[in-house]
């Protein structure tokens, strides 16, 4: 942690996933209900990444948190995540339809300099220019951006018919068309004066929150006390609770329990580990407490939840369970 540069997010929150390939750092994603534990809304936990992300919320409504600012969005809507922004997203129900294209800004630059490169492409690549956080359907630019996004989605879909999550592109012709569509989106936003210079102001509260979340993610499998987290933040317990709840909408203990329960739900859906091992792997050291918290969150016991996930994943086998 000591080697992190000032203003950067903790590396443990940095997404390790490769978006696209080294030669074409661009990928398309879609939220797939089959990979989400049944009974839970679609959730993307707090994290950050260097590439820019354009999220299209096609159905449902969502809570989006960007750098400690929580916004409620109704679809259809675009959400833009700039390089290095700490962000999280949760749907309000299980009826979500969410898609995203993630790309490196370097992908759009050219070898030969020109005014567009100097004014837009290089500043974007150098993190000096930002996309707007949101673009709703009421804005005149929305339909134009939507058309280009659909073009990108169509190109990725044609070459990834069997992929459920990450779509990548290998065809140079398709890559060229995707770059053209991304440049067109950038041009549309510039035409409507929606691109902004980055605010250089350092927010210590955001940095503090990143440190605490990073610590929870690294240590959730062992007991964590409120006093321990408050000391990490340099606050007394009462003030820390107010700070954390205001930032994330839940108390530190509720956040830790939610993180552990979601980890347990994933293990129940994707492994055959006994419930006792799931309990311990998820950071609960008491089986009775785990069973109580799990049923409170999901309305199911762990075994019922596992059976239910099998029914929803393999509906043709539901009569044999």
């Amino acid at each position: 942690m000591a080697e992190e540069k000032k203003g950067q997010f903790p590396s443990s929150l940095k997404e390790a996933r490769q978006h696209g390939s080294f030669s074409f750092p661009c990928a398309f994603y879609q939220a797939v209900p089959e990979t989400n534990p049944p009974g839970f809304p679609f959730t993307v936990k707090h994290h950050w990444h260097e590439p820019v992300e354009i999220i299209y919320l096609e159905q449902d409504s969502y809570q989006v948190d960007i750098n400690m600012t929580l916004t409620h969005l109704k679809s259809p809507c675009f959400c833009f995540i700039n390089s290095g922004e700490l962000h999280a997203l949760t749907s309000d129900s299980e009826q979500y339809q969410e898609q995203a294209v993630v790309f490196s800004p370097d992908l759009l630059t050219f070898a030969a300099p020109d005014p567009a490169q100097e004014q837009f492409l290089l500043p974007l690549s150098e993190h000096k220019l930002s996309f707007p956080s949101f673009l709703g359907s009421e804005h005149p630019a929305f339909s134009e951006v939507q058309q280009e996004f659909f073009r990108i989605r169509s190109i990725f879909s044609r070459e990834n018919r069997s992929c459920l999550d990450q779509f990548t592109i290998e065809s140079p012709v398709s890559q060229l068309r995707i770059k053209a569509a991304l440049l067109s989106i950038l041009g549309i936003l510039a035409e409507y004066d929606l691109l902004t210079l980055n605010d250089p102001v350092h927010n210590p509260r955001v940095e503090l929150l990143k440190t605490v979340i990073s610590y929870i993610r690294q240590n959730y499998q062992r007991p964590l006390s409120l006093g321990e987290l408050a000391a990490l933040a340099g606050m007394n317990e009462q003030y820390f609770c107010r700070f954390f709840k205001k930032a994330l909408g839940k108390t530190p203990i509720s956040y830790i329990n939610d993180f552990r329960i979601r980890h347990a739900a994933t293990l129940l859906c994707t492994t055959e580990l006994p419930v006792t091992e799931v309990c311990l792997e998820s950071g609960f050291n008491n089986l009775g407490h785990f069973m109580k918290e799990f049923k409170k969150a999901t309305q199911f016991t762990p075994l019922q939840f596992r059976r239910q996930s099998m029914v929803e994943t393999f509906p043709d086998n539901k009569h044999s369970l």
Side-chain angles (χ1 to χ4, degrees), residues 84 168 281:
T168 57
E281 285 287 330

Side-chain angles (χ1 to χ4, degrees), residues 53-55 57 64 66 73 77-81 133-135:
E53 181 172 8
I54 303 175
I55 303 173
L57 306 175
V64 180
I66 302 177
L73 299 176
C77 178
F78 282 101
C79 176
F80 297 87
I81 305 298
S133 294
F134 311 109
L135 183 65

Side-chain angles (χ1 to χ4, degrees), residues 40-303:
F40 284 100
F42 173 67
T43 299
V44 177
K45 288 292 187 180
H46 287 84
H47 70 290
W48 69 280
H49 42 65
E50 291 289 349
V52 171
E53 181 172 8
I54 303 175
I55 303 173
Y56 179 53
L57 306 175
E58 191 166 19
Q59 185 172 304
D60 204 359
S61 53
Y62 301 79
Q63 302 286 342
V64 180
D65 186 340
I66 302 177
N67 287 345
M68 288 180 62
T69 299
L70 189 65
T71 305
H72 187 258
L73 299 176
K74 293 184 178 180
S75 60
C77 178
F78 282 101
C79 176
F80 297 87
I81 305 298
N82 292 288
S83 179
E85 289 185 329
L86 183 68
H87 59 283
L89 181 150
T90 304
S91 65
D92 288 339
S93 77
E94 296 181 69
Q95 307 304 314
Y96 57 87
Q97 287 187 23
E98 182 264 5
Q99 297 150 355
V101 59
V102 183
F103 66 96
S104 169
D106 294 338
L107 185 71
L108 305 182
T109 58
F110 300 98
D114 58 36
Q117 168 119 320
E118 296 297 320
Q119 186 173 348
F120 301 110
L121 302 182
L122 287 180
L124 185 66
S125 177
E126 295 168 356
H127 307 159
K128 297 177 181 178
L129 192 69
S130 292
F131 286 94
S133 294
F134 311 109
L135 183 65
S137 58
E138 73 285 350
H139 196 282
F142 178 85
S143 60
E144 296 182 56
V145 173
Q146 184 187 53
Q147 182 178 355
E148 297 299 333
F149 186 88
F150 283 175
R151 182 172 288 113
I152 293 170
R153 180 174 70 180
S154 176
I155 295 169
F156 273 105
S157 297
R158 281 201 308 268
E159 296 196 15
N160 296 267
R161 296 187 183 277
S162 61
C163 185
L164 289 177
D165 183 15
Q166 181 179 211
F167 293 4
T168 57
I169 287 292
E170 295 183 4
S171 164
V173 173
S174 296
Q175 292 176 357
L176 184 61
R177 295 189 63 195
I178 289 170
K179 287 181 68 171
L182 289 172
L183 285 167
S184 181
I185 290 175
L186 185 63
I188 293 165
L189 297 175
E191 183 178 2
Y192 284 92
D193 199 26
L194 294 174
L195 301 174
T196 58
L197 292 174
N198 282 338
D199 185 357
V201 176
H202 176 72
N203 188 336
R205 294 171 66 85
V206 172
E207 298 300 319
L208 185 60
L209 183 63
K210 293 180 294 185
T211 300
V212 173
I213 293 175
S214 176
Y215 189 80
I216 292 172
R217 289 173 62 121
Q218 292 173 340
N219 297 279
Y220 73 93
Q221 290 181 312
R222 69 169 183 81
L224 287 172
S225 69
L226 182 60
E228 182 180 359
L229 298 178
L232 181 68
M235 304 176 183
N236 64 48
E237 293 184 14
Q238 186 177 18
Y239 185 81
F240 173 71
C241 276
R242 289 200 302 267
F243 162 75
F244 194 95
K245 186 171 184 179
K246 183 177 180 181
L248 296 185
K250 57 183 65 178
T251 66
I253 300 304
S254 295
Y255 181 89
I256 293 169
N257 279 340
D258 178 69
F259 190 91
R260 289 170 171 165
I261 291 296
R262 288 183 177 275
H263 182 71
T266 300
L267 290 178
L268 289 167
C269 292
T270 59
T271 74
E272 297 181 357
L273 287 175
V275 171
T276 303
E277 289 190 38
V278 171
C279 167
L280 296 175
E281 285 287 330
S282 303
F284 292 94
N285 57 9
N286 182 286
L287 182 60
H289 178 60
F290 167 63
M291 301 279 282
K292 179 182 177 181
E293 291 295 327
F294 193 90
K295 188 165 186 178
K296 178 181 175 183
T298 67
Q299 316 306 316
F300 295 104
T301 67
L303 286 179

Side-chain angles (χ1 to χ4, degrees), residues 301-316:
T301 67
L303 286 179
Q304 288 171 340
F305 185 87
R306 174 172 275 166
R307 295 191 187 102
Q308 181 68 19
S309 70
M310 292 177 65
V311 169
E312 296 191 10
T313 304
F314 306 104
D316 293 341

